[in-house]
Amino acid sequence: MKNLIYRLFVLCSLLTFIGCHEITSEDPSVLTYYAAFEMFGDETMVIPVGTSFIDPGVKATIKDQDVSDRIVVMGTVDADAVGLYTLTYSVTNDDGFTTSVTRTVIVEDPTITTDISGTYITVEGTYRDMDGIITNYPGFDVTITKVAGGFFYVSDLLGGYYDQRARYGALYAATGYIRLMEDNSIVLVTSFVKGWGDSLTGLYNGEYNPNDGSIKWDADYAGMMFYVVLNKK
């Protein structure tokens, strides 16, 4: 039983927690308490470019004691530049363990009104190129969700290759945000593959075709190129 408790303590000390956690070490008398956070305002905020941003703030407590004065904020928001920004609020407890929460702030261009959200399917022309070995993979679903003017969340920037075709599951989808520009070109904002803890190297030749509603991009990932062509279902 003691070995189980000790392994739990080591595991938890390596992770970042949101909330208040009481961890018992091999010595039952030794406790450490992590900060719990109360976020004011929304976790994801959207503001038009050129307006002001006022951080609603965060409250932190450790064992019911207000420790908000110990919050360290990382990141800034430039309200005059369209983009996606992340603010990280962290607190380190007396034992040296740090916990944090994040807020996403999207500075949007309200003049971009085109909405490309919907459920798409990969079609002919979708393939992976791995050192010249071509693997075609039409027939897999991709969901695009609008989050702000010109900003969209994509369920899998690789077009379902690992998530659906290889059947690794959702952890291996390359989720991320894209930005639709005024000329209907598409650029990458952020990406993340949770299962492997990495991201795309780049996204190229992204384009939305308003005539037929199709979308395409070339995703550079792990030394391979994924050429994704999407039609709306």
Side-chain angles (χ1 to χ4, degrees):
M1 182 64 178
K2 285 186 176 180
N3 288 336
L4 177 61
I5 295 174
Y6 178 72
R7 288 198 298 269
L8 178 62
F9 175 73
V10 172
L11 175 63
C12 292
S13 66
L14 293 175
L15 300 175
T16 299
F17 290 89
I18 298 175
C20 183
H21 300 269
E22 179 182 299
I23 307 302
T24 306
S25 71
E26 189 174 20
D27 180 353
S29 66
V30 177
L31 299 175
T32 188
Y33 294 90
Y34 293 86
F37 295 92
E38 179 185 356
M39 182 176 290
F40 304 119
D42 295 328
E43 186 176 348
T44 299
M45 298 181 62
V46 178
I47 62 171
V49 64
T51 61
S52 61
F53 169 71
I54 299 175
D55 188 349
V58 169
K59 178 181 179 181
T61 57
I62 296 180
K63 201 179 177 182
D64 298 326
Q65 178 182 355
D66 191 333
V67 292
S68 299
D69 58 341
R70 291 162 62 173
I71 294 175
V72 176
V73 183
M74 297 292 293
T76 59
V77 176
D78 183 355
D80 291 323
V82 173
L84 186 149
Y85 302 87
T86 300
L87 299 176
T88 301
Y89 312 84
S90 61
V91 171
T92 301
N93 69 8
D94 293 337
D95 296 314
F97 296 106
T98 301
T99 52
S100 63
V101 292
T102 61
R103 187 195 312 275
T104 299
V105 181
I106 298 174
V107 180
E108 68 168 353
D109 180 354
T111 66
I112 306 296
T113 58
T114 302
D115 187 356
I116 61 172
S117 61
T119 301
Y120 292 78
I121 188 168
T122 58
V123 296
E124 292 298 329
T126 299
Y127 64 95
R128 183 187 74 167
D129 183 347
M130 184 177 67
D131 297 328
I133 300 173
I134 304 301
T135 304
N136 296 295
Y137 61 103
F140 298 99
D141 291 341
V142 174
T143 301
I144 299 178
T145 306
K146 183 176 180 178
V147 293
F151 284 85
F152 300 85
Y153 176 81
V154 182
S155 64
D156 193 351
L157 292 158
L158 299 180
Y161 188 88
Y162 293 107
D163 172 13
Q164 300 166 60
R165 184 186 182 278
R167 299 184 179 180
Y168 290 177
L171 288 178
Y172 296 90
T175 60
Y177 291 91
I178 57 173
R179 183 180 167 197
L180 180 67
M181 310 300 285
E182 188 175 1
D183 62 357
N184 289 320
S185 63
I186 292 172
V187 297
L188 181 66
V189 179
T190 63
S191 65
F192 187 56
V193 182
K194 189 173 183 180
W196 284 307
D198 57 9
S199 58
L200 300 187
T201 302
L203 192 79
Y204 312 108
N205 303 315
E207 180 184 355
Y208 165 67
N209 186 337
N211 295 322
D212 60 12
S214 65
I215 292 174
K216 67 175 185 177
W217 57 64
D218 307 336
D220 185 351
Y221 177 67
M224 299 170 285
M225 290 299 300
F226 295 78
Y227 297 89
V228 178
V229 183
L230 303 171
N231 281 354
K232 209 164 191 178
K233 292 183 73 173

